[in-house]
Structure formats: structure tokens, C-alpha cells
Amino acid sequence: MDNPPVYAVRLRRRRRIPPLRKGVYLLPNLFTSAGLFSGFYSIICTLNKWYWLAAVMILVAQLCDALDGRIARLTRSTSSFGIQYDSLADLVAFGVAPGILVYQWALRPWGRWGWLAASLYVTCGALRLARFNVQIASVEKRYFVGLPIPAAAGVIAATVLLWLWLGGEGETGKHITMLLVIFAVAGLMVSEIRYYSFKEIRFHHRHPFPVLLGLIVLIYLTVGTPQVMLFLGIGSYALSGPLMALGRRLTGRPLQPAAGAESPPVRAVVLDKPGQGR
């Protein structure tokens, strides 16, 4: 008995709509664009030797970068497009702009070694962002691995502002100081040192009254002497990672919870900068 013929039926595959065809979220990406514009304008200011304004625009870009991720999470408008766009904007605002600023302002007399030092900073910043794009690991939510690139750019901008506020005296000291600073922040960006992410702070929750009083005093001091307070704040954050690592090594505390110990569930966190989550 012959077997009945078998006919192949071709199934229609469901078309997958490209993510961008659905559109992009406007509000967080507008803040990202503002940060990109601030970084590019900082480069223009550096080329015109407006070093004070160039440093201020880097700090403005830092503010925009802190807001875009938080707005995206609050409005539930996170997207892969926003993550990639934010990283590209960060490379300009916190990588290229500070590198050009520090070279033009302080490293130019070093000649070849000056622009090599500045390019090393930009390269480490790019590596920092590349690690952010491809490496999502199960680490503690409250910590990030390596110095965030906005904080590294903030160290450079705050140092320039403080130096100009003090009168800009001591050209030789400026050249040596910024060379050491650029090497230090470049190394911290690609290091495995952990930094506190401030993600567990909830400003919309109740806090003790002294916390409010302390924040008010901090705001008053920042308004009174912004150059000093910005330098102390950003510089303290950059040093907090190595100091915490040194303290753990001296006290013998492990970096991870001991085996068998109960610990809260680990959540995936982006290894980049505080407030990032887009």
C-alpha cells in the first residue's frame, strides 16, 4: 500500500517590528542631548581659551546626565536606545571635552607626553563605557566597579575651577598637578575598585530632622564657595573608593559575603555611574 503524499506547508513567520519604528522617548533623550550639547560647547570654550566656562559646561553636562536616567526610571521610559545614546553622549561630554580642556590648559608644555596623557584619559573613559555596554554582572546594587566617568570629568573640572578661583598662580605647579590628576583618574576608571552608587537613598521617604538640617547647611556652603565645595565633594568621592578598599584590606573584611551566610537577593546593576539605569 502506497503511503499518502506529504505536502509541506510553509508557515508564515511573524514580522518583528524594529524597536525604533515604535518611536523613542522624548523627555530623557532631550536631557541626554542637552548633556551632549554642553560637552561640545565645553570644547568650543576650550579652543577659545575660556577655561572657566569650559569647566562649568562639563559640570552642567554632569547635571543633565544625572537627570536623564532618573527621569527615565520615574516615567518608565527606559530603552536600549537611551542607554546607547547616553553612553555616546558621555564619551563626548566626559571623555573628549575634559581631555581637550586639561591638555590645552595645563598639559601643552609637556609636548608629546602631554597629549599622550590626555589621550590616555579619553581611552580609559571609552573603555569604561564599553564595559558598561557589554558587562552586566550580578553585583551589589549599592556599589559600582571603577570610578564613574562623570566623576572623573568632575574631578578635572573642579580642579580647574578651584585653581582659577585661587588666582591661577604657579604655572609649573599646574602642569605637574594636572599630569598626576589625569593619570590618577584614568587608572581609577578602569580599576576594580568599588564606589558607592547612592541608589539606595530615597529622597521622597522620611528621614531624621538632622539630615534635612545638614543638607540645608551644605547648600548654603556650596552657594557661598562653590569652587571649594565642588572640589571637596567630587574629590572626596574619587578618593572614597581607594580608602574603602584599603580599609577592607587592613581589617581583613571580605569583599563578598561569606559562604553559607544569608544575604539579600543580588540584582543586576550596570557597571557605570551613579544614577545610571537607562
Side-chain angles (χ1 to χ4, degrees):
M1 182 176 180
D2 297 336
N3 294 327
V6 178
Y7 299 96
V9 179
R10 187 175 181 181
L11 299 177
R12 296 181 60 185
R13 298 182 63 181
R14 186 176 180 182
R15 269 181 84 183
R16 186 176 179 181
I17 302 176
L20 286 182
R21 188 170 296 182
K22 299 179 182 180
V24 295
Y25 296 107
L26 294 181
L27 191 57
N29 289 310
L30 284 176
F31 275 91
T32 303
S33 301
L36 177 61
F37 168 81
S38 301
F40 183 79
Y41 187 64
S42 173
I43 298 175
I44 300 299
C45 294
T46 299
L47 297 179
N48 289 314
K49 298 184 179 181
W50 304 334
Y51 300 125
W52 181 87
L53 185 57
V56 169
M57 294 309 298
I58 292 175
L59 297 178
V60 172
Q62 197 174 28
L63 177 62
C64 295
D65 183 72
L67 290 176
D68 61 2
R70 294 193 179 275
I71 290 176
R73 289 192 298 273
L74 289 175
T75 58
R76 296 183 179 180
S77 55
T78 59
S79 65
S80 58
F81 173 83
I83 296 175
Q84 301 300 325
Y85 184 37
D86 183 73
S87 295
L88 294 173
D90 286 353
L91 182 58
V92 175
F94 307 127
V96 179
I100 295 177
L101 171 61
V102 74
Y103 169 73
Q104 194 75 13
W105 183 66
L107 301 182
R108 196 176 188 79
W110 291 99
R112 178 184 303 174
W113 293 107
W115 64 260
L116 283 175
S119 66
L120 176 65
Y121 169 82
V122 178
T123 302
C124 291
L127 291 173
R128 187 74 175 84
L129 293 171
R131 182 170 65 178
F132 156 67
N133 285 335
V134 302
Q135 184 181 4
I136 300 178
S138 295
V139 296
E140 294 181 72
K141 179 183 176 183
R142 55 180 178 172
Y143 291 106
F144 297 99
V145 179
L147 179 65
I149 185 173
V155 170
I156 295 175
T159 304
V160 173
L161 290 176
L162 180 64
W163 200 282
L164 296 176
W165 180 72
L166 293 175
E169 300 295 336
E171 291 294 322
T172 303
K174 176 179 69 175
H175 304 326
I176 297 176
T177 299
M178 294 310 298
L179 186 67
L180 297 176
V181 168
I182 203 75
F183 281 132
V185 295
L188 289 174
M189 279 194 293
V190 295
S191 69
E192 297 295 323
I193 297 176
R194 299 191 303 174
Y195 283 86
Y196 190 67
S197 66
F198 299 102
K199 280 191 172 184
E200 293 186 345
I201 298 179
R202 298 292 183 264
F203 289 99
H204 57 283
H205 290 175
R206 291 180 179 271
H207 294 278
F209 178 76
V211 175
L212 175 62
L213 183 61
L215 289 176
I216 293 175
V217 173
L218 184 63
I219 292 174
Y220 270 83
L221 292 176
T222 304
V223 173
T225 55
Q227 297 86 350
V228 176
M229 294 303 298
L230 286 172
F231 179 80
L232 292 178
I234 300 176
S236 299
Y237 180 76
L239 293 175
S240 64
L243 291 178
M244 287 192 301
L246 180 61
R248 285 191 296 265
R249 183 175 294 273
L250 292 177
T251 57
R253 289 185 298 169
L255 296 178
Q256 301 295 337
E262 294 185 4
S263 59
V266 178
R267 297 181 58 182
V269 62
V270 175
L271 300 180
D272 193 31
K273 50 186 180 299
Q276 180 68 23
R278 292 183 56 206

